[in-house]
Amino acid sequence: QKEVEQNSGPLSVPEGAIASLNCTYSDRGSQSFFWYRQYSGKSPELIMFIYSNGDKEDGRFTAQLNKASQYVSLLIRDSQPSDSATYLCAVTILTGGGNKLTFGTGTQLKVEL
Amino acid sequence: DAGVIQSPRHEVTEMGQEVTLRCKPISGHDYLFWYRQTMMRGLELLIYFNNNVPIDDSGMPEDRFSAKMPNASFSTLKIQPSEPRDSAVYFCASSRETRNTIYFGEGSWLTVV
């Protein structure tokens, strides 16, 4: 089982719709959860982080965390063509050397006009 | 503030040659990470340092790879000898703590022919 799993997509949504991106993780001890966005040919950039169960909202973005189900999601409201990118879920996993940030393989999002 | 600075941005080299990738982390960040990204395997953590000391190098693929951090503002990732399967984007990233947001450099695009 992969430590962090995401559906590779592509996920296609029409402009203005809600995009829902999902991620599951294997380590119950994980405490920090991040969503990064990566445009083609660019480096990952942070969108949001969440530490506690529940929802966290920032503008058009909402991160949702359910530690019991080991599930974290990202909702993008009013999707825009500029949101088209790969979205990487990242989770801190405790190892012998400390917390290690482990990434999923990403979900490609396409927002269509 | 300047972000994470990596060099070279692009490198094409022949199989068997030595490759050295360089990174300058964000000033004040105590953690430095080297990641490799490929289409097949996504973003993989190779090694990370805390206060210039390597903490976890379990992701380093084999002995051909080595990384050093001689001081707080400089790190290198070396591949010797390089092989075509090493072709990937190598990202350096830094953060204040492992639980916090990590910031990526623009990446070094390596092609081994």
Side-chain angles (χ1 to χ4, degrees):
Chain A
Q1 181 187 7
K2 291 183 180 178
E3 293 172 310
V4 181
E5 294 206 54
Q6 296 180 255
N7 188 319
S8 62
L11 172 66
S12 294
V13 300
E15 184 178 7
I18 296 175
S20 178
L21 304 161
N22 305 315
C23 172
T24 58
Y25 59 94
S26 61
D27 185 358
R28 285 195 169 276
S30 296
Q31 296 183 349
S32 305
F33 307 86
F34 302 82
W35 282 100
Y36 282 78
R37 177 177 62 199
Q38 187 175 23
Y39 292 113
S40 181
K42 301 295 186 181
S43 60
E45 56 179 339
L46 180 73
I47 299 175
M48 292 190 70
F49 60 87
I50 185 167
Y51 298 152
S52 304
N53 275 330
D55 295 359
K56 179 181 179 182
E57 187 174 318
D58 183 1
R60 296 187 295 113
F61 298 96
T62 299
Q64 299 175 317
L65 175 61
N66 184 326
K67 289 187 178 181
S69 299
Q70 295 174 242
Y71 175 91
V72 58
S73 65
L74 179 71
L75 301 178
I76 306 174
R77 289 181 299 281
D78 188 23
S79 296
Q80 302 296 309
S82 59
D83 295 326
S84 297
T86 296
Y87 289 79
L88 301 168
C89 172
V91 175
T92 56
I93 295 175
L94 184 61
T95 69
N99 284 304
K100 182 171 73 172
L101 190 62
T102 300
F103 285 80
T105 52
T107 298
Q108 185 183 6
L109 173 67
K110 293 184 177 180
V111 181
E112 298 167 334
L113 294 171
Chain B
D1 268 348
V4 176
I5 299 172
Q6 291 187 245
S7 65
R9 292 293 317 281
H10 298 272
E11 176 144 352
V12 180
T13 190
E14 291 185 347
M15 182 174 62
Q17 296 298 306
E18 178 179 292
V19 173
T20 300
L21 308 178
R22 298 173 177 81
C23 175
K24 176 180 169 56
I26 294 172
S27 178
H29 282 191
D30 294 330
Y31 288 84
L32 182 140
F33 307 84
W34 282 102
Y35 283 88
R36 177 174 68 177
Q37 188 173 39
T38 60
M39 288 292 293
M40 290 297 296
R41 301 173 68 91
L43 201 57
E44 303 173 279
L45 178 64
L46 301 178
I47 185 171
Y48 77 93
F49 296 82
N50 177 25
N51 291 324
N52 314 338
V53 176
I55 301 300
D56 185 345
D57 65 354
S58 59
M60 296 286 264
E62 48 197 274
D63 292 345
R64 297 184 299 106
F65 286 69
S66 62
K68 294 182 179 180
M69 191 166 186
N71 57 62
S73 59
F74 183 67
S75 177
T76 60
L77 177 68
K78 188 173 293 187
I79 309 171
Q80 167 63 18
S82 58
E83 297 182 3
R85 59 194 169 114
D86 301 330
S87 298
V89 184
Y90 291 81
F91 287 105
C92 178
S94 70
S95 72
R96 291 190 184 278
E97 298 178 18
T98 55
R99 191 169 181 263
N100 289 6
T101 302
I102 67 170
Y103 296 89
F104 286 84
E106 294 187 321
S108 292
W109 298 69
L110 174 65
T111 302
V112 183
V113 298

